[in-house]
Amino acid sequence: MASNAAAPFWRSAGMTYITYSNICANLVRNCLKEPYKTEALTREKVHFSVSKWTEGKPEKPTIRSDTPED
Amino acid sequence: MFRRATGLLARRLMSSSGSRARPYSTDLPAAPTEDSTFVEAWKKVIPNIEPPKTPLSFMKPRPATPSSIPSKLTVNFVLPYASELSTKEVDMVIIPATTGQMGVLPGHVATIAELKPGVLSVHEGNEVKKYFISSGFAFIHANSYADIVAIEAVPVDQIDPSLVQKGLAEFTQKLSSASTDLEKAEAQIGVGVHSALNSALTG
């Protein structure tokens, strides 16, 4: 049994499976016909805020959002 | 008083895992809903209180592998936002595994397959439904149940051929001009996905 199977090209370039899978999904969504394409793009929207913590205190959060700011 | 029960549990687990190798999950009978050795040991020490429910008793037991091959394959095809097919009985599915198109019939050996961008076709009687899958996994169990998970799956007629051609040209061009490993990998993914979309439209 091969313990180190040949890594797929994206793995050897430093990409994780999730990144690869999300890129594939985005490419497919961008190739759809019109009414389906707009539905699919709404599915792609993300909204999250990330903040790094140093010495027990959160720093300023970065907000990544595809929804317009209110 | 309760410390003895955990000691008994630990000793029982140690002895059973050391003495024999665990059988493959395909050879096991239907999964039990509770651990009978634990329940008996509990009753011996604490006869008045009900034994605690373990996670095993909350789960639905794994269906036993039937002794004869069932006539239909039961497919669960799920996406993150919807359940496309839920315990649908079909005759065959052809999945686009990274090792090539794989046909799954009832009685297929238990397999875990990583899927590449390609066409999944579901054959039921005379009708064939085709979906283009972006990527995912397929788990085929010994009792002829198949779980297919994908991030995006669209019926092939929802794909726009002109956008596919444009994407293919764009990524082939990016591939030749890519410098870093990461850019090369992204361009290669683009070329791979668009050529798979292309062959799905023509094939």
Side-chain angles (χ1 to χ4, degrees), chain A residues 20-21 29 31 33 36 43, chain B residues 135 151-152 157-158 160:
Chain A
Y20 163 69
S21 194
R29 279 191 272 249
C31 286
K33 286 190 186 152
Y36 309 112
R43 273 203 291 269
Chain B
S135 62
I151 299 202
E152 269 296 335
D157 48 14
Q158 288 181 13
D160 189 342

Side-chain angles (χ1 to χ4, degrees), chain B residues 8 20 77 166:
Chain B
L8 283 170
R20 57 181 158 82
F77 178 27
K166 222 174 30 143

Side-chain angles (χ1 to χ4, degrees), chain A residues 25-32 37 40-41 44, chain B residues 160 163-164 194:
Chain A
N26 285 338
L27 293 173
V28 171
R29 279 191 272 249
N30 284 331
C31 286
L32 296 180
K37 187 167 178 180
L41 291 182
E44 223 173 84
Chain B
D160 189 342
L163 290 175
V164 174
H194 283 97

